[in-house]
Amino acid sequence: MAVTMNDVARVAGVSLKTVSNVINNYEFIRPTTRQRVLDAIDQLGYETNLTARSLRSGKTSMLGLVLADLSVPYYAELASDIMKAAWARGYRVLVEQSGNEADHERAALQGQFRSLTDGLLFIPLTLDAQQIIDAAGKKPLVLLGEFVEDPRLDMVLIRNYEAAAAVTTHLLAGGRRRIAVLGADDGDTTGSGGLRLSGYKAALADAGVQYDPALVMRCEWRRDGGAEAVARLLDSGAEFDAVFGLNDALALGALHELLVRGKQVPEEVAVAGFDDIEEARFASPSLTTVAPGRAEIAERAVELLIERIESNMAVPKVRQLEAAFELRVRQSAP
Amino acid sequence: MAVTMNDVARVAGVSLKTVSNVINNYEFIRPTTRQRVLDAIDQLGYETNLTARSLRSGKTSMLGLVLADLSVPYYAELASDIMKAAWARGYRVLVEQSGNEADHERAALQGQFRSLTDGLLFIPLTLDAQQIIDAAGKKPLVLLGEFVEDPRLDMVLIRNYEAAAAVTTHLLAGGRRRIAVLGADDGDTTGSGGLRLSGYKAALADAGVQYDPALVMRCEWRRDGGAEAVARLLDSGAEFDAVFGLNDALALGALHELLVRGKQVPEEVAVAGFDDIEEARFASPSLTTVAPGRAEIAERAVELLIERIESNMAVPKVRQLEAAFELRVRQSAP
DNA sequence: CTGGTGGTATACATCGTTGCAGATCCGCGG
DNA sequence: CCGCGGATCTGCAACGATGTATACCACCAG
C-alpha cells in the first residue's frame, strides 16, 4: 500500500538502514549514496511513517494542551501562540478540551491522551495541586499559571495579584472610588479569581479606600456572566463608578449591559478587564485591560516543557517562571 | 519501563493475545478470565499504547483539521465544535495552522501530518480545487466550504451566496441604498469573498438598486482590516448608509472605526456582518449578522469524514452538503 | 463411540521504523 | 605488505500492539 523505507532501499540499491540514516542525517554517508536515496524518495513519493517512528523511538514529538474550551478567545489566542512556539521547535500540539470539568481534566492528565504526547501543558481550572500530582503520570508536565501554585510543579505563572492591583490602582487614579469586581466571591483567596481579588483589595488598601464586599459579584467567566452580574448590580441599587471584570469576557459583557441600560462609559462608569484579548482593542469604547504576557507565557511554557522532555535528568529542579504584564489603557477607563 | 500487555498477561496467567482480546471486547472470553485480566490491568496500571495500536492497525483515530489561525474567533469556535463532534465519535483532532499561506496548506495536505491522521478536514484559503486535488494524498478529505467548490471533492458548504443576499436584502428593507462592502474586490466571483459579493449584487439587482464598485473595499479579513477599510472609505468622501463586512471581524472593526469617527450606528450607518461569532452578540451596538450554521457544519463534516474513513468503498459518490443559515437581526442594523 | 460444533485461548507473524553491533572498504604509517 | 582507524554501509532485533490461523475443550447428535 504505502511506500516504505524498504521500497526506497530497493530502488536506490542500498539497505533499508542506509535509507533510515539518510533521513536522519547520519553523518557518514557518501554524497553520491545520499543523492541516490533522495532521488528514490522523490521518485516514489516516500514519506516517513511517524507512527512507526514513534513506536520505535518512544517519542511522539507531540505536546498535549489541556484547556477548557477553544471557543473562549483567551484560550484560543493562547493555543495559537503555543502551537506556533511548538511548531518552531519541531513539535505538534494536540489539544484536549476539558470543558471545565474535573473528570475531563483528570482523564487528560492520565489517560490514553498521555500516551500520544511527550509532555503536557495544562491549564488547570478545577483540580488543585494535590489532585494534579495524584492524577498525573510520570511524563513531563508544565502548568500554565491560571490557577494553581505549588512548589512541586513546573509552571509559568501570570502575575495575577500584581496585575490586578495595577488595574485597580489605575481606576483609583482616575478618581473612581466604588469599583465593582466581577467574577469572584468575597472570600476567595486562591485561584485566578482569588489572586486577582486579593490584588484588588491590596490596591484599595494602599489608597485608603474602604473595601465593600457588596461590590464583589460572583459569576461565570463569560460574556453573559458579566452582563448578568452587572444587571444584578444595577438592580440591587448599589452605587458604583467603575467595574473591574476579572477577565475581558466579563468586562465586555458588563460593558455591553451598561450601554444597554443607558449608562455612559467611561463618564458614569469606567470598565476594565484582564487578558487583553484582541477583541478588547476593538470594543466600543475600547477596553482598558492588562496584558498578562500571553506570547511570553506560550513561548516559555513550550520551552520549559521541551527542555524537560529532552533532558533526561531524573529529578531536575522545579522551575516556576513569571511572565511580565502590561497595563493597556484605553477608552473605557482612561 | 512502561507496562505492556505482556506484563499484564504474565500477571493474569494468560496469553498476550487474550489480554488484547479482553481490551477489544472480544466476545468469547470466560467471565472469570476477563475478570482476572481486568484485575491485572488495574493492579499494574496498564494503559494501551496507542502508537503501537496505530502502527499495527493502520488507524490513528485522529482527524486533521487545517485552518488559518486559531486566534481568529470564527475558526476557534468552529474548531471547538469540530473537536466535540469528533470526540463524541471516538476521534481526536489534530489542528494545523496554515497561517493563510499556500505552502503551509500544501504541506498539511501532503506531508507527514497526514500520516498521523485518518482523514482531513480542510478549510482552504489559498489553494484552488485543482491544487488541492494535486496536492492531496489518498486519504479521505472533506473541505469546509469557505472557498472552493468542485464536483470532485467532498465538502460541507456554507450558503455564501444566499446568506449574503439575505443580509443585503435586510439592509435594503431597512431603507439603506448605499451599502458598502468590506473584504472583496469588485471583480471577485469565486471564493468566500466572491460568492458573498455575488449574493450582495444579486440582492441589489433584485431591489433595483444600482451597484457601485466604489463601495467595494478590498482588505484583510480581520478587525484591523475592517477598521482601515472604513477609514479609507470615509476619507474618500464616498457616501454610504450601511456597511456589510463579509465576515464579523471586518464588521466589528468597521463598527469600531465608525464610532471613533463619531458616526451614529445604526442611525447614520447600519452595520452587518457574516459568521455570527459570539462577540457579535456583545458588541455595542450588537451586530446584525448571519449565522452560517457552524454547529451543523462541524457536525456534518465530522460525520461525513468518519463515514469515508470507516467505509472502504473504493469510489464512493462525492457528497456535497449545504448548511442552513439564519439571519440574526440586532441593533447595528435593525 | 465418533464427529461435528461452538466457545475459549493461544502462537506466530507483522505493521515501519530505529538502535546496536558489526562488516566492509580504503588510505596510510611502519 | 600488514595492520589499524576512520568512513561507510549493513543485518538483526525490537518497539507494543493486532490479524490470522489454529489448538483445545466440552458437549451433543448420530
Side-chain angles (χ1 to χ4, degrees), chain A residues 5 16-17 20 24 46 49 52-53 56:
Chain A
M5 276 192 179
L16 189 166
K17 186 67 231 244
S20 167
N24 293 286
Y46 167 79
N49 179 322
R53 173 181 292 181
R56 180 63 244 232

Side-chain angles (χ1 to χ4, degrees), chain A residues 220-274:
Chain A
E220 293 288 310
W221 284 30
R222 295 191 314 250
R223 279 175 272 243
D224 52 359
E228 175 267 329
V230 158
R232 260 190 290 142
L233 203 59
L234 288 168
D235 294 342
S236 78
E239 274 181 37
F240 60 99
D241 52 13
V243 173
F244 178 15
L246 293 187
N247 78 359
D248 281 353
L250 286 167
L252 290 163
L255 177 58
H256 179 73
E257 185 69 16
L258 287 168
L259 295 172
V260 166
R261 299 285 198 110
K263 295 286 174 194
Q264 304 263 48
V265 177
E267 292 77 6
E268 294 177 71
V269 181
V271 178
F274 196 114

